[in-house]
Amino acid sequence: MVMAASFAGLLVLPTDFGSPLVAFLVFLNGLGGGLLAAPSTSIIMSNVPPEARGAASGMRATFQNAGMVLSMGVFFSLMIGGLAGSLPHTLTSG
């Protein structure tokens, strides 16, 4: 819920936003991620047999890192797609 609130706040930012507001929303997002990361990792690892916990931890870290990299690619692709129509004209007229 904390992360959802931070994303909702980022979605409704006005174009003339201030740095303290963005810093607060990014902090809120990090706080939400931190509140989720430790309990979810604990639940995952407690459901794995002790002899397989090393492999499970490695797989969890691999999937987490791959997800972060892929989400950055998706984010920047969406951002470029959204700006492709307006940015060239804005840059040349500005």
Side-chain angles (χ1 to χ4, degrees):
M1 295 304 291
V2 174
M3 287 183 81
S6 71
F7 283 129
L10 289 169
L11 281 172
V12 297
L13 273 177
T15 54
D16 58 345
F17 60 86
S19 295
L21 178 59
V22 175
F24 172 72
L25 291 171
V26 170
F27 171 77
L28 199 62
N29 193 319
L31 181 68
L35 289 172
L36 174 70
S40 65
T41 299
S42 177
I43 289 170
I44 291 168
M45 297 309 290
S46 68
N47 286 313
V48 175
E51 64 274 4
R53 286 192 181 145
S57 178
M59 290 179 65
R60 187 203 58 79
T62 300
F63 289 130
Q64 180 180 3
N65 290 332
M68 282 191 271
V69 169
L70 289 173
S71 69
M72 285 180 165
V74 169
F75 169 76
F76 284 112
S77 296
L78 291 172
M79 190 170 76
I80 289 168
L83 292 173
S86 63
L87 188 60
H89 178 269
T90 304
L91 289 174
T92 57
S93 67

